[in-house]
Amino acid sequence: MPLFGLSTGAEGNRIFGWEVDVLSSTLSKTGLYDFHVANGAKMVPFAGYSMPLQYGDVGGGAAHHHVRTQAGLFDVGHMVQSFITGPSATAFLEWLTPSALSELKPFHSTLSVLLNDKGGIIDDTVICKHSDDKYYVVTNAGRRVEDLAWFEQKLAEWNSSDKSSSGKVSLEVLDGWGLVALQGPEAAKVLQAHVKEDLGKLYFGQSGYFDVAGVKCHVARGGYTGEDGFEISIPPEKTVEITELVSKSPVQLTGLGARDSLRLEAGMCLYGHDLNEDITPVEAGLSWVIGKSRRESGTFIGASTVLQQLKDGPSKRRVGFIVEDAPAREGAKVFSPAEEEIGVITSGIPSPTLSQNIAMGYIKNGFHKKGTEVLVEVRKKMRKATVRPMPFVPAKYHREP
């Protein structure tokens, strides 16, 4: 997802190619703000919040490698955590999203998308099913206003219609709750030291309530880096305590700078850059979130456009690129060998892991196949690039056998 270069720092209002929210006059703070400052964080505006870019003199590249080889801890408490509950909660969320939530087992989760009437992506979200009448939903901080307005509008429509005949649905936003992401090959060992239950039996895409050092937390296995890891939702009064506990060596506090390079290597989208309301899940390469039964029923918002694209193919597709010579940043144009404009870069960095310039973006259908040679305009020069599948770095999730 529901975010975040290399060790050279910020470039004006951009951090390694993506814009920070420099225009915010009043920034919100997560429950870990004082903790970050005390640990030497360089704070920057992001999605309406003051968030850590990096800590001390540890640059983005070094922090990136530490997550890939050991473990890093990210504050993601700016994300919007909510419960959607009620007897018809499953049907309601299957109206708002194309995911087959009725087929999801309890305490299993899926990446999904909220769609507008034209099939465009209002936001990407992680939905965890606790039961048929209770869901834990995480959405992006930068889309808080739009998402909550959409939820409230659709809840009002739903609860005043026959669709809610089995019972009304409600939304509870967990304001103030902490959310940290513990990511990397040492993550499980670190968290296991504070949890009695065997985390080896908690697989990617699963979650549960666990006592972490005596504090009841919602723990979900997954994350935004492509590494094994956990996202831990913590009661407000215990957020700092639990964060201090799980951030000790070999864990390193990690900021937005490294998070952007990690997520791009993992092929993950950043809303507002790689996704927006004019892009459909089919164009974004997210057709896999559309359940087979949902394709047959077509009962979700935006279904007409989405199902037509599934049948006929979209006009553009999100792909990965390897770019020669210089890194391509967001907005760089993509051309065919004949120099016909055929696409645009939405995210791009020099990859710390691969020592190559990687990027993702959208390209005209027909040019999207693996190995297709194209040109990308970088600093007013045409650079050779090759289309390649994502992720760029293989995922290392702890999957169920």
Side-chain angles (χ1 to χ4, degrees), residues 86-119:
S88 59
T90 297
F92 173 70
L93 283 171
E94 285 196 333
W95 179 44
L96 263 60
T97 77
S99 298
L101 301 175
S102 58
E103 300 167 17
L104 204 61
K105 297 177 181 178
F107 289 96
H108 284 61
S109 63
T110 181
L111 176 70
S112 191
V113 284
L114 301 173
L115 299 179
N116 61 28
D117 293 331
K118 296 180 180 180

Side-chain angles (χ1 to χ4, degrees), residues 52-133:
L53 171 64
Q54 62 185 57
Y55 294 83
D57 58 359
V58 180
H64 177 111
H65 289 302
H66 194 87
V67 174
R68 289 274 183 251
T69 57
Q70 296 188 62
L73 189 76
F74 304 85
D75 179 9
V76 287
H78 62 307
M79 306 284 279
V80 183
Q81 303 177 73
S82 305
F83 282 127
I84 291 179
T85 59
S88 59
T90 297
F92 173 70
L93 283 171
E94 285 196 333
W95 179 44
L96 263 60
T97 77
S99 298
L101 301 175
S102 58
E103 300 167 17
L104 204 61
K105 297 177 181 178
F107 289 96
H108 284 61
S109 63
T110 181
L111 176 70
S112 191
V113 284
L114 301 173
L115 299 179
N116 61 28
D117 293 331
K118 296 180 180 180
I121 299 172
I122 296 172
D123 202 2
D124 55 327
T125 176
V126 173
I127 300 175
C128 176
K129 181 178 187 176
H130 288 184
S131 64
D132 287 334
D133 59 2

Side-chain angles (χ1 to χ4, degrees), residues 43-351:
M43 307 300 288
V44 297
F46 180 76
Y49 280 76
S50 182
M51 298 296 291
L53 171 64
Q54 62 185 57
Y55 294 83
D57 58 359
V58 180
H64 177 111
H65 289 302
H66 194 87
V67 174
R68 289 274 183 251
T69 57
Q70 296 188 62
L73 189 76
F74 304 85
D75 179 9
V76 287
H78 62 307
M79 306 284 279
V80 183
Q81 303 177 73
S82 305
F83 282 127
I84 291 179
T85 59
S88 59
T90 297
F92 173 70
L93 283 171
E94 285 196 333
W95 179 44
L96 263 60
T97 77
S99 298
L101 301 175
S102 58
E103 300 167 17
L104 204 61
K105 297 177 181 178
F107 289 96
H108 284 61
S109 63
T110 181
L111 176 70
S112 191
V113 284
L114 301 173
L115 299 179
N116 61 28
D117 293 331
K118 296 180 180 180
I121 299 172
I122 296 172
D123 202 2
D124 55 327
T125 176
V126 173
I127 300 175
C128 176
K129 181 178 187 176
H130 288 184
S131 64
D132 287 334
D133 59 2
K134 186 173 185 179
Y135 289 83
Y136 169 71
V137 180
V138 180
T139 51
N140 285 302
R143 297 292 288 172
R144 180 187 177 99
V145 172
E146 294 84 357
D147 291 348
L148 293 183
W150 185 253
F151 277 131
E152 294 293 350
Q153 176 190 336
K154 295 306 174 184
L155 278 168
E157 291 180 23
W158 184 268
N159 288 332
S160 63
S161 73
D162 293 339
K163 294 177 180 179
S164 63
S165 58
S166 63
K168 297 186 185 303
V169 179
S170 62
L171 169 71
E172 177 189 2
V173 180
L174 302 179
D175 280 333
W177 277 66
L179 187 64
V180 296
L182 179 61
Q183 301 281 294
E186 297 294 317
K189 183 179 178 181
V190 169
L191 187 57
Q192 186 65 77
H194 306 290
V195 174
K196 291 181 180 180
E197 295 88 350
D198 181 7
L199 292 175
K201 296 179 181 178
L202 183 72
Y203 299 104
F204 176 76
Q206 298 180 4
S207 67
Y209 284 102
F210 295 85
D211 282 347
V212 181
V215 177
K216 186 178 180 181
C217 299
H218 184 266
V219 179
R221 197 147 199 168
Y224 197 55
T225 65
E227 297 293 330
D228 182 26
F230 306 87
E231 295 195 340
I232 309 166
S233 180
I234 314 168
E237 68 278 7
K238 295 292 185 179
T239 298
V240 174
E241 178 184 327
I242 297 301
T243 301
E244 289 177 338
L245 203 62
V246 298
S247 61
K248 300 183 187 303
S249 181
V251 180
Q252 190 174 81
L253 296 173
T254 316
L256 297 174
R259 190 153 199 210
D260 194 48
S261 55
L262 289 160
R263 71 93 186 170
L264 186 47
E265 287 185 347
M268 303 283 191
C269 295
L270 175 59
Y271 195 92
H273 300 255
D274 312 303
L275 303 174
N276 60 48
E277 290 206 42
D278 295 319
I279 294 172
T280 71
V282 182
E283 293 167 338
L286 298 175
S287 297
W288 60 271
V289 309
I290 308 166
K292 182 179 178 182
S293 60
R294 311 307 315 285
R295 301 179 188 207
E296 295 169 352
S297 67
T299 53
F300 56 91
I301 294 171
S304 176
T305 299
V306 170
L307 296 180
Q308 191 67 46
Q309 288 186 349
L310 284 172
K311 178 183 177 182
D312 299 335
S315 61
K316 61 183 178 183
R317 297 178 186 266
R318 182 174 65 93
V319 297
F321 300 90
I322 298 291
V323 185
E324 295 183 13
D325 301 326
R329 304 299 192 183
E330 180 181 3
K333 296 178 180 180
V334 182
F335 297 85
S336 71
E339 298 194 9
E340 169 197 2
E341 187 175 338
I342 56 172
V344 65
I345 300 297
T346 54
S347 292
I349 56 163
S351 163

